Amino acid sequence: MLKKICTSVSKSYYYTGSTYPLNQRYLSVKIRPSTPTVTKLDEALQLFDEMLHRQPRPSITEFNRLITVMVKMKHYSTGLLLYKQINLMGIDSDLYSMNISINCHCQLNQVSYGFALLATVFKQGHPPDVVTYSTLIYGLILADQVFEAVELFKKLLTEKFCEPNQVMYGTIINGLCKVGHISKALELLRFMEAGSCKPNVEQYNTIIDNLCKDKMVDHALEIFAKMIEKGVLADVITYNSLIQGLCNFGRETEAAKLLVDMEEKGIAPSVRTYTILVNSFCKEGSVKDAEFTVQKMVQRGLDPDVVTYSALVDGYCLRGEVDEAKKVVDRMVERDLVPNIVTYSSLINGYCKKKQIDEARHLFLEIQDKGLIPNLITYNSLLQGLFHTGFLKQKEFQEAKIFLEEMINQGFSPDANTFSLLLHLTPSIRQDSPIRTILQRLAGDKRRDDKMFDSTSGFIS
DNA sequence: GTAGGGTTAG
């Protein structure tokens, strides 16, 4: 990734004809790996400044290229600011720059500003294209306005504002799945199959993955078969979704068959493919099989990543083998991998399982010193440990309450796991204020499950 | 290589 960005930036230098020594730039990124983003942003800004004052003025295309690099680095607000400056310098924007700006607003969860720019696009006399509309549809989905996204999509179709392509269909299919309307998504897939814009592997993948996640693995396998029948080639993501789906329901044997199947078809399993298996074995308690899988992936020339090792750490912790888990962490560090919050949450969970609350508490503080931010899983693990001893010692119980309040203040909404561990407390303890607040909030969340779509309405009226 | 969408971790 780093290399890719560096290449992009240096390529921009090539376009601008700058003679700035590139080696030095690579060096500066290498020497300070902890702050590469800032360095890279600085580089981009410096380049922008230079371009702005160059004579003759670079074309809008060149600015678009540079800002695209920054947007890929997720510097959306900066991208928007730069376009503002470009316009102030009297350089006209084109449809590309408008689309990039709309995307920036959407990513910043400002979809309404995106629509404001749509008006500008019309005013400037460029007709918006399928990219413009896809971006806005995606923006609505990002803002949890899937219903509005579908409405816009329908309008585009019926009024023939633009010809939807695979990306646009894919965006809607994904949005529908995100809010649990898989049958609607399937309906749209069938609509594509019947029409002129045929679905490709990405739309099939979305459906297959969501069916698997929604416990409909067999249905997913049917779609998979149908897809192959239609001549659409499966890719590694298709297999990963199916293998994951099968593993989630204890169907590891079938998952292993798919692994063989994909290799026979010349689709190389990825680190993720193996990690899914490692994780599945760990959850089942067979860390030995998980370790064996790791060995196998290394033999195939794949390097286990943080997720792979974290799964192993979790596997050992689930069995209460914290010492073994710590050895895995050492193995990670030896390979220059940095344990993350998931890794540490597992370790905290492991300590709690062994009732080593002091170690758990200590680790919780230590990782924050390292700059890691605890997440809901971390809090749940710790709370579980503390509540557990809390029955015996008032001190731990008081401490758990403090963590609970801290968790809420950090903006984490309690989930089903929090709920279940609170339910195991005695009724009198549950009356304590932070706990009561959580229970009330959970009760409220359940009521907020409103229906978004009329299940009888089709896509095209 | 000027712009938009898809998958892993308790």
Side-chain angles (χ1 to χ4, degrees):
Chain A
M1 187 62 192
L2 186 75
K3 203 174 161 191
K4 209 171 170 184
I5 290 165
C6 287
T7 318
S8 308
V9 173
S10 60
K11 199 72 175 237
S12 303
Y13 267 87
Y14 168 73
Y15 285 124
T16 60
S18 161
T19 52
Y20 196 95
L22 286 173
N23 288 344
Q24 207 174 327
R25 308 191 76 82
Y26 276 105
L27 212 60
S28 74
V29 172
K30 257 192 166 166
I31 289 169
R32 297 189 297 166
S34 55
T35 54
T37 311
V38 175
T39 312
K40 284 178 286 179
L41 179 63
D42 283 351
E43 284 176 0
L45 288 172
Q46 208 181 329
L47 174 55
F48 176 78
D49 207 50
E50 186 259 310
M51 282 168 74
L52 214 52
H53 295 100
R54 197 190 314 153
Q55 285 298 338
R57 279 238 183 88
S59 66
I60 185 71
T61 307
E62 286 186 63
F63 284 107
N64 289 340
R65 276 196 201 111
L66 174 64
I67 295 176
T68 299
V69 173
M70 303 178 69
V71 169
K72 295 252 157 80
M73 288 153 66
K74 297 190 194 294
H75 293 295
Y76 306 116
S77 339
T78 315
L80 288 166
L81 272 171
L82 298 195
Y83 275 121
K84 207 169 261 177
Q85 277 199 51
I86 290 169
N87 290 339
L88 284 174
M89 294 291 283
I91 302 169
D92 287 334
S93 26
D94 61 0
L95 189 56
Y96 283 83
S97 44
M98 291 309 284
N99 286 344
I100 298 167
S101 297
I102 291 174
N103 182 36
C104 287
H105 280 301
C106 289
Q107 300 285 347
L108 290 165
N109 215 336
Q110 301 170 336
V111 66
S112 42
Y113 288 109
F115 279 99
L117 283 186
L118 177 66
T120 313
V121 171
F122 279 116
K123 207 176 105 191
Q124 287 177 341
H126 328 276
D129 64 2
V130 65
V131 177
T132 320
Y133 289 119
S134 296
T135 309
L136 285 167
I137 286 175
Y138 184 62
L140 286 169
I141 291 169
L142 277 181
D144 285 326
Q145 299 180 36
V146 178
F147 179 79
E148 287 79 358
V150 173
E151 284 303 306
L152 173 58
F153 175 69
K154 282 188 198 173
K155 204 180 170 85
L156 295 174
L157 255 76
T158 51
E159 316 257 328
K160 301 202 188 318
F161 277 116
C162 74
E163 191 63 39
N165 60 13
Q166 290 169 327
V167 175
M168 187 179 269
Y169 277 110
T171 308
I172 291 285
I173 289 177
N174 193 42
L176 287 166
C177 289
K178 285 254 152 72
V179 290
H181 288 268
I182 302 178
S183 57
K184 280 279 152 199
L186 250 171
E187 201 180 299
L188 192 52
L189 186 78
R190 294 204 187 98
F191 182 77
M192 286 183 82
E193 284 174 341
S196 56
C197 178
K198 300 290 181 199
N200 66 16
V201 66
E202 293 185 7
Q203 287 89 58
Y204 280 108
N205 282 349
T206 304
I207 299 278
I208 288 172
D209 189 62
N210 281 282
L211 284 172
C212 285
K213 290 213 170 84
D214 215 39
K215 307 181 186 180
M216 294 185 277
V217 191
D218 290 313
H219 198 162
L221 286 167
E222 278 169 34
I223 305 279
F224 174 61
K226 205 167 129 191
M227 169 183 127
I228 292 168
E229 218 179 271
K230 289 192 182 281
V232 178
L233 292 178
D235 64 10
V236 63
I237 297 177
T238 324
Y239 279 98
N240 285 353
S241 293
L242 287 168
I243 290 172
Q244 171 85 65
L246 289 165
C247 283
N248 278 346
F249 299 99
R251 294 162 69 173
E252 279 81 5
T253 321
E254 287 164 88
K257 269 187 200 157
L258 278 182
L259 184 67
V260 176
D261 182 47
M262 70 189 285
E263 285 178 312
E264 279 173 5
K265 285 189 180 154
I267 301 162
S270 64
V271 174
R272 280 189 187 199
T273 319
Y274 285 105
T275 301
I276 292 165
L277 289 165
V278 169
N279 190 42
S280 180
F281 283 129
C282 283
K283 267 198 251 173
E284 277 195 347
S286 42
V287 197
K288 280 223 168 75
D289 288 323
E291 289 278 14
F292 181 71
T293 309
V294 172
Q295 270 179 26
K296 204 167 124 186
M297 68 189 283
V298 173
Q299 280 164 12
R300 307 256 159 138
L302 292 171
D303 285 331
D305 63 10
V306 180
V307 183
T308 323
Y309 282 114
S310 292
L312 267 184
V313 169
D314 195 57
Y316 283 114
C317 286
L318 285 174
R319 296 157 58 99
E321 297 172 13
V322 192
D323 293 331
E324 287 303 316
K326 279 198 284 193
K327 281 184 201 161
V328 178
V329 175
D330 292 340
R331 273 157 68 190
M332 292 174 75
V333 176
E334 273 167 28
R335 290 168 175 265
D336 284 334
L337 293 171
V338 185
N340 63 18
I341 190 66
V342 179
T343 327
Y344 287 117
S345 296
S346 292
L347 271 180
I348 288 174
N349 187 35
Y351 281 130
C352 288
K353 274 215 153 60
K354 282 193 88 181
K355 308 226 168 93
Q356 298 179 347
I357 303 300
D358 285 336
E359 281 85 348
R361 193 192 284 117
H362 183 252
L363 188 57
F364 181 75
L365 296 174
E366 195 185 303
I367 60 175
Q368 291 180 80
D369 285 343
K370 286 187 186 173
L372 290 172
I373 298 159
N375 60 24
L376 193 57
I377 301 166
T378 328
Y379 280 106
N380 279 347
S381 298
L382 194 64
L383 287 172
Q384 193 180 10
L386 288 166
F387 275 141
H388 206 78
T389 47
F391 285 111
L392 305 168
K393 293 181 196 162
Q394 194 60 26
K395 191 185 133 228
E396 272 86 8
F397 181 71
Q398 290 302 330
E399 204 179 338
K401 271 184 20 183
I402 294 169
F403 281 124
L404 198 49
E405 279 170 318
E406 185 187 307
M407 171 180 132
I408 296 166
N409 290 336
Q410 296 293 325
F412 292 110
S413 300
D415 67 353
N417 287 312
T418 324
F419 190 55
S420 97
L421 61 99
L422 291 179
L423 274 183
H424 284 92
L425 297 171
T426 60
S428 66
I429 290 173
R430 268 185 292 181
Q431 288 308 307
D432 263 300
S433 69
I435 296 171
R436 216 174 53 219
T437 315
I438 286 180
L439 290 171
Q440 278 165 356
R441 190 192 294 189
L442 282 162
D445 280 353
K446 275 187 184 159
R447 267 183 265 117
R448 201 173 44 86
D449 197 16
D450 44 13
K451 54 177 192 281
M452 215 176 228
F453 298 93
D454 172 4
S455 58
T456 55
S457 77
F459 278 94
I460 317 297
S461 35

